[in-house]
Amino acid sequence: MDITSRYNDKISQYFEQMAPKGEPASLYEPINYLLMLGGKRIRPAMVLMSCELFEKDTDKALPAAYALEVFHNFTLMHDDIMDKATIRRGFPTVHEKYDLNTAILSGDAMLIYSYQILCGYEPAMAHKILKSFNKMAMELCEGQRLDMDFETSNIVSIDGYLKMIAFKTSVLLASAMEVGGIIGGGGESDLKHLYEFGKNIGIAFQIQDDLLDAFGDEKKVGKQPGGDIIQNKKTYLFLKAKELADPGQLEKLLFYYNVEPHDQHTKIKDVKHIFTKHLKFEFKIILRKM
Amino acid sequence: MDITSRYNDKISQYFEQMAPKGEPASLYEPINYLLMLGGKRIRPAMVLMSCELFEKDTDKALPAAYALEVFHNFTLMHDDIMDKATIRRGFPTVHEKYDLNTAILSGDAMLIYSYQILCGYEPAMAHKILKSFNKMAMELCEGQRLDMDFETSNIVSIDGYLKMIAFKTSVLLASAMEVGGIIGGGGESDLKHLYEFGKNIGIAFQIQDDLLDAFGDEKKVGKQPGGDIIQNKKTYLFLKAKELADPGQLEKLLFYYNVEPHDQHTKIKDVKHIFTKHLKFEFKIILRKM
């Protein structure tokens, strides 16, 4: 998404200036640690980009851009605990570097801080922004919960999966577009379209991520392919293959997704074979580009 | 606080009606589990009481009263994880009954839900309420963090302790009074006084709690006395005694607060003896009433 890079300087400068300060340092330091690990800053760029559609001066969208990035990092801090992740952006996660209680409490403070920033807008504007933000934040919790529930469920539907990734990932991008539009002064119909655009780009991004995990070029993607297959993750690829597979392949697929075999290489090869057999028509355009 | 009981019916009825519903149930059920365990509902009563000072019809303060109780229960859900508490109001805590991830995520959802309820007020009113709420919520995180830091610190001052209990407990009562006043239509000066009243009653309540833990009647208090002493908690009693003790007593006190002796009975007796020797003037009125 190179289109977003032209906002980088503006965003970095504002973020540095707004870094939360306060006492005790043991509460605020872990917040700044995570925020300073970087990341692509896609969400703030989306807020500014969306604002710019209606209003040349995007400075007044900076607080909202920052608030959404703080919120995003709050979800990372808590999700990393839930996922038992030890590494984030190449560095130890907060609960690894500090401890569990620090990651819970500093995460809570980040969520509150994101609200505090949004409440800096004048009342009518803040009210509109918060309506979008609250709905998104609650859906994001629902999405994370669905994801956790799916791990142990054998009856995940494609619709269920799409709802999960929409809530877990896409509604934040959707809200970023909507909030930028609100600040820029977009009309009701524009805001709806911006929201849908953000939501759909998020879903597409997640499915692309699923595809890259199985079929991506190791050098380009930066990780060993097949991670989702090893972890038996019920991705779109798996669910669609399950739907289209013949009885023999279905049996093989379900067998592989219920075991953790010693030889991961054969598992990945076999599962990918089933995936490509059934998915090549649906995804041939995307696959060709990878 | 019998003065609050006259709001009980109104509060219970509204709380039942507003119980959060949604999918997946695995996110919402733990929230309702904790909210339904009851509690004294002091904070919602304070919101209604404060509103009533300016406005006979307290119905419009009910959403804020509920939001503050939801927020309070969010802090309990996360604090119970941090404190490794297994029992809350006689029932298993959420992380005990469900699991850690559930308590983190459903807690997050409660915090968001409390904002969602407050945003139901019209923009100007919501903005005023949120200003008080945000400040309080952040201070509460700071207070919880200070409390955690004090556990392992040997240089806690009385001022530091008072700040900690003010942030951890009192600012929520202060904000409850202030928010009730805002909704009722109180003036700036009234709101300041209400805030201070709530804050000071919170501090007094916490110090009374420290005293009851050491000197309360077991039958009335409902728990074995001396719990704080066993846990080496740096309460107001301990800090004040440390300040006033002669060298011999100081040595004894510090010895006891650095060990977990097998014979807790002698420890409690000896520490209480040092407490009473030095604190009887300061607390004689309170102690006499216990």
Side-chain angles (χ1 to χ4, degrees):
Chain A
M1 289 201 196
D2 265 343
I3 198 172
T4 62
S5 63
R6 68 196 186 88
Y7 301 105
N8 281 358
D9 288 349
K10 198 175 214 174
I11 289 171
S12 302
Q13 205 181 343
Y14 187 79
F15 279 28
E16 250 170 65
Q17 177 191 325
M18 287 291 286
K21 292 169 203 77
E23 291 290 335
S26 45
L27 179 69
Y28 291 98
E29 200 203 274
I31 298 175
N32 287 309
Y33 166 74
L34 183 58
L35 285 172
M36 289 304 140
L37 291 186
K40 294 183 291 292
R41 312 291 195 208
I42 296 286
R43 291 153 196 85
M46 285 173 90
V47 174
L48 297 187
M49 203 165 39
S50 183
C51 174
E52 208 173 17
L53 291 172
F54 310 97
E55 164 70 57
K56 222 176 169 182
D57 175 19
T58 57
D59 278 4
K60 63 178 183 175
L62 277 169
Y66 184 55
L68 264 76
E69 186 70 5
V70 171
F71 175 82
H72 171 57
N73 279 271
F74 139 73
T75 67
L76 298 181
M77 205 185 276
H78 279 190
D79 284 6
D80 281 344
I81 305 172
M82 295 185 238
D83 298 343
K84 296 190 174 66
T86 56
I87 299 289
R88 162 75 54 195
R89 296 170 186 149
F91 289 86
T93 49
V94 171
H95 65 100
E96 271 287 305
K97 185 179 162 72
Y98 302 89
D99 53 38
L100 170 68
N101 288 359
T102 299
I104 294 174
L105 188 61
S106 289
D108 291 344
M110 286 178 102
L111 174 53
I112 294 160
Y113 187 48
S114 62
Y115 275 103
Q116 212 162 19
I117 303 162
L118 293 177
C119 289
Y121 286 97
E122 52 86 14
M125 176 75 84
H127 208 251
K128 264 191 167 179
I129 294 171
L130 285 171
K131 199 180 162 191
S132 169
F133 187 81
N134 284 328
K135 180 171 170 284
M136 172 278 291
M138 201 56 124
E139 285 174 350
L140 212 129
C141 290
E142 292 174 0
Q144 170 68 6
R145 183 72 239 189
L146 285 172
D147 195 19
M148 278 155 56
D149 292 348
F150 284 176
E151 267 177 41
T152 52
S153 168
N154 280 320
I155 44 161
V156 179
S157 68
I158 288 184
D159 277 355
Y161 176 77
L162 290 176
K163 184 182 169 183
M164 185 274 283
I165 59 169
F167 277 17
K168 196 180 152 136
T169 312
S170 313
V171 291
L172 180 47
L173 303 179
S175 185
M177 294 302 291
E178 190 181 20
V179 165
I182 291 169
I183 297 167
E188 281 307 315
S189 146
D190 295 326
L191 296 179
K192 262 190 198 163
H193 289 130
L194 286 168
Y195 183 89
E196 289 303 322
F197 171 78
K199 188 168 172 177
N200 286 318
I201 227 175
I203 294 171
F205 187 81
Q206 184 61 50
I207 293 178
Q208 188 194 44
D209 212 48
D210 291 355
L211 278 164
L212 282 173
D213 192 274
F215 299 104
D217 181 340
E218 190 171 343
K219 280 178 207 149
K220 281 192 204 162
V221 182
K223 57 181 179 181
Q224 207 192 336
D228 288 349
I229 298 172
I230 293 172
Q231 286 178 62
N232 301 328
K233 275 187 87 172
K234 285 142 203 147
T235 63
Y236 188 83
L237 281 169
F238 167 77
L239 296 168
K240 199 72 192 173
K242 201 178 134 195
E243 188 183 286
L244 299 172
D246 62 43
Q249 286 168 331
L250 183 62
E251 196 183 343
K252 202 170 188 177
L253 195 63
L254 293 181
F255 166 75
Y256 272 130
Y257 271 68
N258 277 305
V259 291
E260 285 187 36
H262 196 69
D263 177 14
Q264 299 285 12
H265 185 73
T266 310
K267 173 177 174 178
I268 294 172
K269 206 186 81 199
D270 284 3
V271 169
K272 276 172 71 172
H273 180 73
I274 302 172
F275 282 178
T276 35
K277 197 169 166 68
H278 293 291
L279 300 173
K280 63 183 170 192
F281 294 111
E282 204 152 331
F283 290 113
K284 64 181 176 186
I285 301 160
I286 304 175
L287 284 172
R288 204 181 297 150
K289 288 186 176 174
M290 282 183 186
Chain B
M1 290 200 194
D2 264 342
I3 197 171
T4 62
S5 62
R6 68 196 185 88
Y7 301 105
N8 281 358
D9 289 349
K10 197 175 215 174
I11 289 171
S12 302
Q13 204 182 339
Y14 187 79
F15 279 28
E16 250 171 66
Q17 177 192 323
M18 287 291 287
K21 292 168 203 77
E23 290 292 335
S26 44
L27 179 69
Y28 291 97
E29 199 203 274
I31 299 175
N32 288 309
Y33 166 73
L34 183 58
L35 285 173
M36 288 304 140
L37 291 185
K40 293 183 292 290
R41 312 290 195 208
I42 296 287
R43 291 153 196 85
M46 284 173 90
V47 175
L48 298 187
M49 201 164 39
S50 183
C51 173
E52 207 173 17
L53 291 172
F54 310 97
E55 164 70 56
K56 224 175 168 183
D57 175 20
T58 58
D59 278 4
K60 65 178 182 175
L62 276 169
Y66 183 56
L68 265 76
E69 186 70 6
V70 171
F71 174 82
H72 171 57
N73 279 271
F74 139 72
T75 68
L76 298 181
M77 204 184 275
H78 280 191
D79 284 5
D80 280 343
I81 304 172
M82 297 185 237
D83 299 342
K84 296 191 174 64
T86 55
I87 299 290
R88 164 72 56 193
R89 294 169 186 151
F91 290 86
T93 49
V94 170
H95 65 100
E96 271 286 307
K97 185 179 161 74
Y98 303 88
D99 52 40
L100 170 69
N101 288 357
T102 299
I104 294 174
L105 188 61
S106 289
D108 291 344
M110 286 178 101
L111 174 53
I112 294 161
Y113 187 48
S114 63
Y115 275 103
Q116 212 162 19
I117 303 162
L118 291 177
C119 289
Y121 285 97
E122 52 85 16
M125 176 75 85
H127 208 251
K128 265 191 166 181
I129 294 171
L130 285 170
K131 200 180 161 191
S132 170
F133 187 81
N134 284 328
K135 181 172 169 285
M136 171 279 291
M138 201 54 124
E139 286 175 349
L140 212 128
C141 290
E142 291 174 1
Q144 170 69 6
R145 182 72 240 189
L146 286 173
D147 195 18
M148 278 155 56
D149 293 347
F150 285 176
E151 269 176 38
T152 52
S153 168
N154 280 319
I155 46 159
V156 180
S157 67
I158 288 185
D159 278 356
Y161 176 77
L162 288 177
K163 184 183 170 183
M164 183 274 283
I165 59 170
F167 278 17
K168 196 181 152 135
T169 312
S170 312
V171 291
L172 180 46
L173 304 179
S175 185
M177 294 302 291
E178 191 181 19
V179 165
I182 292 169
I183 296 167
E188 281 307 316
S189 146
D190 295 327
L191 297 179
K192 263 188 197 162
H193 289 130
L194 286 167
Y195 182 90
E196 289 304 321
F197 171 78
K199 189 169 173 177
N200 287 317
I201 227 174
I203 294 171
F205 186 82
Q206 184 60 50
I207 294 178
Q208 188 194 44
D209 212 47
D210 291 354
L211 278 163
L212 282 172
D213 192 274
F215 300 103
D217 181 340
E218 190 171 343
K219 280 179 206 146
K220 280 191 203 162
V221 182
K223 57 180 177 182
Q224 209 191 336
D228 289 347
I229 298 172
I230 294 172
Q231 286 177 61
N232 300 329
K233 276 187 88 172
K234 286 142 202 148
T235 63
Y236 189 83
L237 282 170
F238 167 77
L239 296 168
K240 199 72 191 170
K242 199 178 135 196
E243 187 182 288
L244 300 172
D246 62 43
Q249 286 168 333
L250 183 61
E251 195 185 343
K252 202 170 187 175
L253 195 62
L254 293 179
F255 165 76
Y256 272 130
Y257 270 70
N258 278 303
V259 292
E260 284 187 35
H262 196 69
D263 177 13
Q264 299 285 13
H265 184 73
T266 310
K267 174 178 174 177
I268 294 173
K269 206 185 84 200
D270 284 2
V271 169
K272 277 172 72 174
H273 180 74
I274 303 172
F275 283 178
T276 35
K277 197 169 166 68
H278 292 291
L279 299 173
K280 65 183 170 191
F281 295 112
E282 206 155 328
F283 288 116
K284 64 181 178 186
I285 301 159
I286 304 173
L287 284 170
R288 204 181 297 148
K289 287 186 176 171
M290 282 182 184

